[in-house]
Amino acid sequence: MEKTIDENIQGTALQLENTSKNKRKLYIESYGCQMNFSDSEIVASILANEGFNTTQELNEADLVLVNTCSIREKAEQTVRKRLEKFNAVKKVNPNMKVGVLGCMAERLKSKFLEEEKIVDMVVGPDAYKDLPNLIQEIDQGRDAVNVILSKDETYGDVAPVRLNSNGVTAFVSITRGCDNMCTFCVVPFTRGRERSRNPHSIIAEVNDLWDRGFKEITLLGQNVDSYLWYGGGLKKDFDKASEIQKATAVNFSKLLELTALAQPKMRIRFSTSNPQDMTLDVIETMAKFHNICNYIHLPIQSGSNRILKAMNRLHTREEYFELIDNIKKIIPDCAISQDIIAGFPTETEEDHQDTLSLMEHVKYEYGFMFAYSERPGTPAAKKLPDDVPETVKKRRLQEIIAVQRKHAAYRTGQHVGKIEEVLIEGASKKSKDEWMGRNSQNIVVVFPKENYTVGDFVNVKVNDCTSGTLIGEAVGYSNNN
Ligand code: 5AD
Ligand code: SF4
């Protein structure tokens, strides 16, 4: 994902349009993956109907919601720190209520209320439609908890409120939950089993975004390649579906095609792919449609077969190479990014070297790299000792990051001298006279503004680069406008 899961998890405050009808003020902050940011837009939409305006001023909030992440211990600590801050604000504004959403809510359930006195309400990722009832409870002075996970894609019919939006790019959620059970990962426990959203509602959302001027969407899911719509229900129950349901089922490659055809000028990205679930037909569909971007986020986690097995990744290093070779054969200029974990239990120096050598083979454009963080209740936490010393984890992580930096610079350099189609997202951070956009490979491109504007597809001649950014000049509109 061009994703927000990074070690310095970012928060954001979301702003809703003010209308005189809406009286109460909601302050909402999101941490973790893109799915959480996307969910907060659903929450804002549900609460807008209940008379809530969002505010960016914590001090004036009637309701503070924090959408949390449990993926690593540090992410949870960040949230706990924020709760301390909310506590201080509550001393000045005693009527303020605080609710915790997302993965930490699901993991800790009502324990949260005992551990953090400031918290009035705990709401898991599938229970946001119950927020109006839960808020009534806390209004009457009672604590409220709903952490029930669902068998259906819960929010297909909620039109997200696009908050903090650049008006050009948007997320569209297509699946929820994950069945992969990687042994280190808490997500299958906090977000439940995999279920897919009705393709009609996905296409309707994409069409609506196009009508409102958006030019790029990212189809979101923990494991998009396992998208499967057969009329609703859990992915694991597909075997029990009727013959008609099976014959008319829509898989991810079909969904991509439907989306690409529905809006031929809309750029399409997707995230996250997992090697064991990504099939050749997806790559072929990407190759067939110009508007599907040539970029795949394809986590590997480790280059060692022994560790991959211990992680329950269900593929080998060799199978991963085969997949990468197929991608490059079918889409030679396809960019690939990784997630890697350093210091998984029992990881030896040799295993670590396997990770570095795998990276040398692939030469990823981009990477998201983490030190292993034991998560309570996961299979790894139950079965394996967290036995790689922190200093060793940190050193290995630094080595992985150094190799990634080298490869990012190499890959970025390959674009210099080329003319590439760029979608303008906004002003460059460094100069108000320059635009910032991305090419198909998701690499940031900056160039002088001239008469172009946000949302334009522009052909840019790339003249130079830094390790992660391309620097160029526009040579005209692309024919995608
Ligand atoms: N420790 C460190 N990193 C983790 N990830 C998931 N669980 C853990 C963990 N326990 C990383 C994986 C995953 C990404 C979203 O977060 O690399 O792909
Ligand atoms: Fe976690 Fe693995 Fe599912 Fe990703 S694929 S969410 S790492 S269990």
Side-chain angles (χ1 to χ4, degrees), residues 223-228 235 250-256 270 272-287 296-298 319 322-324 326-328 330-331 334:
N223 191 17
V224 285
D225 297 271
S226 88
Y227 174 90
L228 188 63
K235 163 106 185 233
V250 176
N251 64 12
F252 184 55
S253 120
K254 185 78 191 152
L255 177 72
L256 265 183
F270 54 88
T272 295
S273 294
N274 279 289
Q276 62 266 45
D277 299 301
M278 183 160 213
T279 49
L280 276 185
D281 56 347
V282 168
I283 306 162
E284 277 153 6
T285 305
M286 289 173 73
I296 305 173
H297 181 54
L298 199 62
E319 283 161 346
E322 203 181 312
L323 179 60
I324 297 280
N326 277 325
I327 293 169
K328 298 279 181 179
I330 300 171
I331 312 171
C334 191

Side-chain angles (χ1 to χ4, degrees), residues 193-206:
R193 301 279 76 81
E194 266 172 27
R195 54 236 121 100
S196 297
R197 177 176 170 193
N198 186 332
H200 295 297
S201 94
I202 296 172
I203 299 295
E205 187 173 333
V206 172

Side-chain angles (χ1 to χ4, degrees), residues 3 5 71-72 184-185 299 301 339-341 370-373 375:
K3 61 186 182 182
I5 296 185
I71 201 106
R72 282 169 290 277
F184 51 80
C185 187
Q301 317 295 2
D339 286 348
I340 290 177
I341 298 176
F370 317 97
Y372 174 69
S373 165
R375 306 314 295 133

Side-chain angles (χ1 to χ4, degrees), residues 114-249:
E114 292 152 32
E115 288 179 13
E116 303 282 353
K117 292 284 168 264
I118 176 85
V119 174
D120 303 293
M121 179 170 73
V122 179
V123 193
D126 285 351
Y128 301 145
K129 281 191 174 166
D130 196 27
L131 273 166
N133 299 324
L134 298 169
I135 289 169
Q136 263 186 20
E137 288 286 308
I138 59 174
D139 279 347
Q140 288 162 16
R142 289 187 289 272
D143 289 339
V145 179
N146 186 342
V147 287
I148 295 169
L149 290 169
S150 162
K151 284 188 172 176
D152 297 305
E153 208 293 339
T154 330
Y155 308 115
D157 58 340
V158 179
V161 179
R162 305 290 165 186
L163 300 155
N164 272 11
S165 163
N166 58 11
V168 180
T169 60
F171 297 129
V172 175
S173 122
I174 64 162
T175 68
R176 293 192 162 261
C178 186
D179 288 349
N180 272 0
M181 289 304 231
C182 301
T183 56
F184 51 80
C185 187
V186 76
V187 167
F189 303 93
T190 59
R191 287 194 167 263
R193 301 279 76 81
E194 266 172 27
R195 54 236 121 100
S196 297
R197 177 176 170 193
N198 186 332
H200 295 297
S201 94
I202 296 172
I203 299 295
E205 187 173 333
V206 172
N207 287 341
D208 177 59
L209 284 164
W210 180 260
D211 291 343
R212 289 160 49 205
F214 286 82
K215 300 288 172 69
E216 179 182 302
I217 49 136
T218 301
L219 303 175
L220 273 191
Q222 246 73 43
N223 191 17
V224 285
D225 297 271
S226 88
Y227 174 90
L228 188 63
W229 173 258
Y230 61 96
L234 297 178
K235 163 106 185 233
K236 73 177 178 56
D237 294 333
F238 179 62
D239 286 346
K240 295 180 211 151
S242 71
E243 288 312 310
I244 293 179
Q245 282 178 316
K246 284 184 182 161
T248 55

Side-chain angles (χ1 to χ4, degrees), residues 43-103:
V43 168
S45 166
I46 291 168
L47 291 188
N49 292 335
E50 297 298 309
F52 280 92
N53 270 335
T54 54
T55 173
Q56 291 186 320
E57 287 301 320
L58 177 58
N59 295 335
E60 63 172 33
D62 299 300
L63 176 64
V64 173
L65 295 179
V66 51
N67 201 346
T68 62
C69 171
S70 285
I71 201 106
R72 282 169 290 277
E73 197 185 350
K74 203 172 151 203
E76 293 204 349
Q77 282 165 356
T78 309
V79 167
R80 302 246 187 208
K81 277 250 154 61
R82 278 309 276 164
L83 292 174
E84 281 172 26
K85 168 77 182 165
F86 298 161
N87 221 346
V89 175
K90 190 155 178 164
K91 293 209 172 89
V92 191
N93 177 6
N95 293 329
M96 180 182 104
K97 302 280 184 197
V98 175
V100 181
L101 316 178
C103 287

